[in-house]
Amino acid sequence: MQTLPGFRDFLPADCASRNYIFDTWRKVARGYGFVEWDGPVLEPTELYRKKSGPEIVDQLFNFVDKGEREVAMRPELTPTLARVVAANERGFKKPLKWFSIGQFFRYEKQQRGRLREHFQLNCDILGEAGPSADVELVALCVDVLRGFGLTEKDFVVRISDRGFWTEFLEQQQVPPENWQAILQAIDKSEREPREKTAVKLGPLADAVFAVFDGGGRSQRLDEVMAALRARGLGEFVEVDVQIVRGLAYYTGVVFEAFDRTGKLRAIAGGGRYDNLVQQLSEGAVSMPALGFAMGDVVLGELIKIVPGATEKMSGAVKAYGNLDAFIIIAKEERRLDALSIVQRLRESGMRVDYSFGAAKVPKQFQAGDEWPQIAMKDLRSGKQELVGQDELVSRVKALLSAEL
Ligand code: HAM
């Protein structure tokens, strides 16, 4: 029996890498004053049908449950967030700055950087309409990636403004019911030959390509870029109007993070979705919102090809495996005494292991008749000393915190 296509087993080393990614995500998001939350992994299919747009609906892992409900494994978090915030917003001071780490499911064709399950960090700000929130969010995305030891040489955040395109479509007198299809074609245009995009755009093709070639601008984009430069992040960002994002709910500034070589798929993506809370609450609550999600799959690939980032990850992963102490039971008749010592060390918060069966004492230890004292050896320096049982915990702690 094998895993289903697009699903992964996480052996201990994989889990250690995953935990390193989660720990870094959590640390940087918390550093920006975001608080953690989560939602259910199973939702009514309707939530995505209404809100995520056709691309995601085609990729749903959905089924009818035993209570005849149409349900879907979550493909993304944003509709859930909008629902939760609409229902609970009174209890919170605005703006809300929320982050979440969880697993998501999309029935996609398995390929490099795309699986059928992946983990995402989601960071969202709700209740703030001004561009300073867009700036803060892009800065957070940059700093999360920097947290992995990645630099401006390794990745870039491409920023665009969907508002720019909707104004363009208005000017071109495209009826709103056709907007979604055109935005999707623009979104895909970077990964497709121009002829294919031209067919999708029809009579609009020349005008759209003129924007691509001339580089579009919007006042909002200029403001956001200037503020990011002022924060010293100019090297990490650039304007690219070809980004519009595939999801239906975006309304304003949108962005995606890519590796500089352009070989990998997007590492992260997000933007403003000022109408989603209102739509989900049927008009009861209106709240501007913006956010992004970063996936673990492409990020993991990028870390592997950037030596500095690989080194940082392996250092952290190695540290997860480290024990603080290993208890060698030199004489079997002392096993129960030894276990009480194991217990004490563990209770004091240390990571301690020992062998279940009788084990040969390694040669490097001089095991004698120390008991009731204990021989303690620092494996880093090789120094061995005898300590009393009562002082063991404090001596091991002092040793662990001492500089070598
Ligand atoms: P998204 O662009 O669909 O946005 O996904 C965000 C990131 O998740 C992608 O850039 C990619 O790294 C990762 N990802 C998505 N699908 C897969 C997959 N099948 N396999 C591996 N990785 C994947 C959203 O999900 C929005 N809800 C983000 C957002 C939050 N917008 C506002 N707030």
Side-chain angles (χ1 to χ4, degrees):
M1 293 282 267
Q2 294 192 332
T3 54
L4 289 166
F7 284 80
R8 295 170 285 179
D9 290 325
F10 290 90
L11 297 178
D14 308 313
C15 254
S17 307
R18 190 173 92 182
N19 284 337
Y20 164 68
I21 289 178
F22 289 3
D23 289 351
T24 308
W25 280 349
R26 192 168 273 125
K27 190 166 137 219
V28 183
R30 285 179 48 80
Y32 266 66
F34 281 60
V35 292
E36 190 161 358
W37 77 287
D38 204 356
V41 291
L42 203 64
E43 288 273 27
T45 308
E46 201 50 23
L47 183 66
Y48 307 111
R49 211 167 263 148
K50 271 196 190 149
K51 296 303 157 216
S52 295
E55 191 169 311
I56 279 219
V57 170
D58 286 345
Q59 298 169 341
L60 283 178
F61 264 99
N62 57 330
F63 55 95
V64 178
D65 77 3
K66 289 177 183 166
E68 306 283 301
R69 295 173 204 90
E70 294 236 23
V71 295
M73 305 285 286
R74 60 181 179 184
E76 59 152 340
L77 190 62
T78 315
T80 301
L81 173 62
R83 171 176 61 69
V84 168
V85 168
N88 299 285
E89 57 100 20
R90 285 194 193 163
F92 298 99
K93 212 170 90 222
K94 310 310 166 293
L96 276 64
K97 301 201 294 178
W98 285 13
F99 80 94
S100 188
I101 296 173
Q103 197 170 22
F104 296 86
F105 305 87
R106 298 183 189 180
Y107 199 92
E108 295 200 57
K109 209 167 114 219
Q110 189 185 340
Q111 50 189 300
R112 185 166 187 206
R114 279 288 174 278
L115 301 174
R116 290 185 175 169
E117 54 74 24
H118 68 285
F119 289 87
Q120 284 186 353
L121 163 70
N122 274 260
C123 298
D124 293 86
I125 303 175
L126 295 107
E128 179 56 58
S132 44
D134 301 72
V135 174
E136 182 77 351
L137 195 72
V138 175
L140 171 55
C141 182
V142 168
D143 277 340
V144 169
L145 290 170
R146 289 211 288 186
F148 291 98
L150 300 166
T151 71
E152 73 282 3
K153 294 193 180 66
D154 307 313
F155 73 91
V156 60
V157 177
R158 302 221 181 98
I159 309 179
S160 176
D161 182 1
R162 216 186 239 207
F164 165 86
W165 283 110
T166 46
E167 268 167 39
F168 168 89
L169 294 172
E170 266 168 9
Q171 275 164 15
Q172 301 280 333
Q173 295 174 340
V174 178
E177 58 271 22
N178 296 349
W179 289 7
Q180 193 54 40
I182 302 217
L183 292 174
Q184 290 253 338
I186 296 173
D187 178 59
K188 288 234 157 53
S189 63
E190 275 182 321
R191 278 168 274 142
E192 275 175 2
R194 273 216 172 169
E195 304 77 66
K196 194 164 174 195
T197 309
V199 173
K200 291 189 193 163
L201 292 173
L204 276 184
D206 287 343
V208 170
F209 292 149
V211 175
F212 287 178
D213 298 335
R217 281 178 69 173
S218 76
Q219 198 193 338
R220 184 51 68 108
L221 272 184
D222 290 345
E223 274 176 68
V224 168
M225 290 298 285
L228 287 166
R229 275 186 220 111
R231 277 170 82 153
L233 301 177
E235 302 287 295
F236 294 92
V237 289
E238 61 193 40
V239 169
D240 179 355
V241 289
Q242 261 175 280
I243 305 269
V244 292
R245 308 275 299 131
L247 295 156
Y249 45 68
Y250 293 110
T251 54
V253 169
V254 287
F255 60 91
E256 282 183 333
F258 289 93
D259 68 296
R260 282 279 185 194
T261 67
K263 286 201 190 108
L264 308 177
R265 307 197 51 139
I267 314 162
R272 254 197 194 275
Y273 49 99
D274 282 344
N275 303 330
L276 189 61
V277 175
Q278 189 175 25
Q279 286 168 2
L280 270 177
S281 62
E282 270 147 14
V285 182
S286 158
M287 205 187 295
L290 62 160
F292 73 86
M294 181 180 295
D296 68 321
V297 181
V298 183
L299 174 65
E301 284 181 9
L302 182 57
I303 290 173
K304 271 192 220 135
I305 56 181
V306 174
T310 316
E311 216 172 283
K312 195 166 179 196
M313 175 153 94
S314 32
V317 163
K318 201 166 153 257
Y320 285 130
N322 286 350
L323 286 175
D324 293 319
F326 190 90
I327 304 300
I328 292 167
I329 304 170
K331 294 218 164 87
E332 269 311 299
E333 67 260 32
R334 291 273 168 252
R335 180 163 288 272
L336 291 181
D337 295 320
L339 287 181
S340 80
I341 284 163
V342 167
Q343 198 65 33
R344 253 167 38 211
L345 288 169
R346 285 179 176 166
E347 275 162 15
S348 79
M350 283 178 227
R351 188 151 191 259
V352 182
D353 207 358
Y354 65 96
S355 163
F356 284 132
K360 262 228 220 93
V361 179
K363 268 212 203 78
Q364 53 178 314
F365 293 92
Q366 299 134 24
D369 285 317
E370 322 57 26
W371 193 262
Q373 285 193 301
I374 297 159
M376 177 178 83
K377 183 160 188 160
D378 183 348
L379 290 178
R380 300 166 305 181
S381 66
K383 258 180 36 204
Q384 182 166 323
E385 55 185 307
L386 287 182
V387 297
Q389 293 179 39
D390 289 341
E391 52 170 356
L392 182 67
V393 170
S394 60
R395 293 294 295 276
V396 176
K397 279 207 161 154
L399 198 65
L400 287 171
S401 58
E403 292 281 323
L404 271 188

